[in-house]
Amino acid sequence: MNFSELFKQSQFHCKFSPDGQYVVTCVSYKVIVRSVDTLQILRLYTCLDAVQNIEWSSDSAFLLCAMYKRGICQVWSVEHPDWTCKIDEGSAGLTHAQWSPDGRHVLTTASFNLRITVWSLVNKSISYIRYVKNSKDCLSFTDNGKYLALAESRKCRDCVSIFEVESWQLLKLFETDTEDLSGLKWSPDGRVICVWDHCLWYKLLIYTMDGRCLTTYKAYDWALGVKRVTWSPTSQFLAVGSYDQKVRILNHITWKSISEFSHISNIQSTNAVVYSESETKPSLPRTENTLIASPPIFSTQSKYEFLSPPIQIPSVQPDPEKPNPKIGVGWLEFSPDNKFLATIDDSMKTAVHIWSMLKLSLYVVLLQASPIKCGTPIHLDWHCVLEMINSTFGLHLGLYLCKFQSAQRSTFIH
């Protein structure tokens, strides 16, 4: 495997464009766009302050740079370097900025969630949306980009507003039966909206676009509840990760739980394949007093070894005296073909559990040498690709390809 030279970056600001042609890195207030094929610099932009977030538009034509401390955003065009745009929230402040699905509108959130402002890059129009709960988990677009669902708080009641994205007009407003609405998410087919309550109450509701409540799901009471929710690509399944270290799979017909996946630190099952990553570092040549040479940055090599049960997964017990305990399923994603579900329990950050949706059972466990920072399934000839950032080295990014076959259960390329 060949590696390029090292490029400077700050705060892990490095993102590929959606079309895969460009990669952008950020060093303080400088934004550098390179070609993926040649890694040559194509564009160099200078922002007004240190960039705290960068986002590509859906068509890879524009680049959004947010500077939250100064309450401003700058938009750059890759095709037309002379074109620039500056968005200033003024005294309202800025806490979040993102693109709309069409890549021609920017949504900014003011401090204390006072409002969401929609800025048009086409006709320079501005629209305001008030009563926002929060813009992180309480804002969701349909996959076709036609509608926006937003959680609001009006007169101390939780509501969901449906907007038509083309005109940003309010189509429907309805109340939800929640104590403190924590998040919402459209189904991939755009037929229903999943709404879940704050973690203090285990409560999940399914609403149609016109505000009808199809079902209310509660797994238990008097304990921390929902932590993460995700839809399957076909909208047939809804995976709900909770603080009790279980994932519950709901079906789209009856909205009942059809299976529960438990994350336990002691694996006894012989049906699951367990692979453990082991790292080796080459020994350095020495003289009597000093080292002759320093190791290269990519000198550490790793490989996967097959483990036989029983297997003990390293886990961390949460501190009951601290808020937001690091326990429960905090990340879960379906494979694009809907055959597998990958999950990570926050108390076992070195392990990735991969579940078979055909057999509804544990299929593969990947044990990493270092805690996992993020994972992203993408579509290739392989069923699942997990992108993991090693916490030991800030710039070390590993790509793990997991290939599932009947004869050879898993193949890994690092």
Side-chain angles (χ1 to χ4, degrees):
M1 182 178 292
N2 298 323
F3 294 94
S4 69
E5 61 178 295
L6 293 178
F7 299 119
K8 291 183 178 180
Q9 55 83 33
S10 59
Q11 298 182 2
F12 300 100
H13 290 325
C14 177
K15 291 188 177 181
F16 287 92
S17 60
D19 60 7
Q21 296 185 12
Y22 311 108
V23 58
V24 59
T25 56
C26 181
V27 183
S28 186
Y29 59 89
K30 293 184 179 180
V31 179
I32 305 167
V33 178
R34 287 183 170 89
S35 169
V36 170
D37 296 329
T38 63
L39 293 180
Q40 296 296 316
I41 297 178
L42 301 179
R43 297 286 183 267
L44 178 61
Y45 306 115
T46 302
C47 296
L48 298 176
D49 203 344
V51 178
Q52 294 173 276
N53 188 34
I54 51 176
E55 293 287 344
W56 284 99
S57 62
S58 57
D59 57 358
S60 304
F62 297 95
L63 191 63
L64 173 65
C65 301
M67 289 147 276
Y68 299 135
K69 292 182 179 179
R70 295 190 57 170
I72 60 175
C73 294
Q74 288 184 270
V75 182
W76 308 94
S77 173
V78 178
E79 300 175 355
H80 306 284
D82 296 334
W83 183 93
T84 60
C85 173
K86 177 185 174 183
I87 297 173
D88 192 345
E89 275 285 2
S91 59
L94 179 66
T95 60
H96 183 70
Q98 69 177 84
W99 287 100
S100 64
D102 62 359
R104 295 298 180 269
H105 295 82
V106 177
L107 281 70
T108 60
T109 305
S111 299
F112 307 105
N113 296 312
L114 294 177
R115 70 188 183 197
I116 289 180
T117 307
V118 182
W119 310 78
S120 173
L121 303 183
V122 179
N123 55 18
K124 300 181 181 180
S125 63
I126 300 175
S127 303
Y128 296 102
I129 303 175
R130 298 184 298 169
Y131 313 112
V132 185
K133 291 274 300 185
N134 71 73
S135 58
K136 183 180 179 181
D137 295 322
C138 293
L139 184 151
S140 178
F141 289 95
T142 55
D143 281 4
N144 58 17
K146 291 184 178 180
Y147 303 104
L148 164 68
L150 180 68
E152 300 181 356
S153 179
R154 294 173 179 250
K155 298 180 180 179
C156 300
R157 294 290 300 173
D158 291 335
C159 305
V160 173
S161 299
I162 307 297
F163 293 88
E164 199 270 325
V165 172
E166 185 176 354
S167 61
W168 299 103
Q169 296 297 316
L170 179 63
L171 299 180
K172 183 67 177 180
L173 173 67
F174 57 89
E175 291 187 0
T176 60
D177 186 20
T178 53
E179 299 292 338
D180 185 10
L181 195 154
S182 180
L184 56 80
K185 186 174 292 187
W186 282 99
S187 61
D189 57 10
R191 298 178 62 183
V192 295
I193 306 170
C194 174
V195 174
W196 60 94
D197 217 328
H198 191 270
C199 65
L200 295 178
W201 302 272
Y202 195 115
K203 196 173 187 179
L204 185 141
L205 307 100
I206 303 295
Y207 286 94
T208 60
M209 188 175 174
D210 58 359
R212 290 182 294 115
C213 182
L214 298 181
T215 188
T216 299
Y217 178 76
K218 293 182 180 181
Y220 51 81
D221 293 316
W222 314 115
L224 294 179
V226 178
K227 189 168 188 178
R228 186 69 62 181
V229 175
T230 188
W231 288 94
S232 66
T234 59
S235 301
Q236 291 177 306
F237 303 110
L238 179 64
V240 184
S242 52
Y243 281 88
D244 65 346
Q245 298 182 285
K246 292 183 180 180
V247 175
R248 292 168 175 85
I249 306 299
L250 309 184
N251 71 87
H252 74 298
I253 304 295
T254 63
W255 301 111
K256 303 296 184 182
S257 176
I258 60 175
S259 184
E260 291 185 2
F261 300 151
S262 300
H263 296 70
I264 55 177
S265 58
N266 189 11
I267 299 178
Q268 302 285 347
S269 174
T270 58
N271 296 326
V273 178
V274 181
Y275 285 89
S276 178
E277 181 187 18
S278 60
E279 294 182 344
T280 57
K281 296 183 180 180
S283 58
L284 299 177
R286 295 174 176 269
T287 61
E288 294 182 357
N289 298 323
T290 59
L291 298 176
I292 293 180
S294 59
I297 189 171
F298 298 110
S299 61
T300 302
Q301 298 181 358
S302 65
K303 64 178 181 179
Y304 283 89
E305 299 176 347
F306 174 76
L307 300 181
S308 300
I311 299 164
Q312 187 69 31
I313 299 177
S315 60
V316 178
Q317 294 298 325
D319 188 351
E321 301 297 330
K322 295 182 179 180
N324 302 319
K326 293 184 178 180
I327 192 173
V329 182
W331 180 87
L332 66 167
E333 286 290 342
F334 282 92
S335 61
D337 58 8
N338 208 47
K339 293 182 179 180
F340 299 96
L341 173 67
T343 62
I344 298 176
D345 187 280
D346 287 346
S347 64
M348 297 177 280
K349 293 294 286 185
T350 59
V352 180
H353 293 72
I354 299 177
W355 311 82
S356 171
M357 295 305 297
L358 300 177
K359 300 180 180 179
L360 295 177
S361 62
L362 184 62
Y363 196 68
V364 174
V365 177
L366 307 179
L367 295 180
Q368 303 303 124
S370 300
I372 302 163
K373 292 297 183 182
C374 67
T376 307
I378 58 178
H379 181 71
L380 290 173
D381 293 336
W382 297 267
H383 287 154
C384 182
V385 175
L386 294 175
E387 179 185 11
M388 304 172 188
I389 297 179
N390 191 316
S391 64
T392 304
F393 304 100
L395 299 179
H396 181 186
L397 184 144
L399 191 63
Y400 300 87
L401 310 183
C402 315
K403 181 179 180 181
F404 304 106
Q405 297 177 345
S406 57
Q408 184 180 1
R409 296 287 294 275
S410 299
T411 302
F412 302 94
I413 302 175
H414 180 203

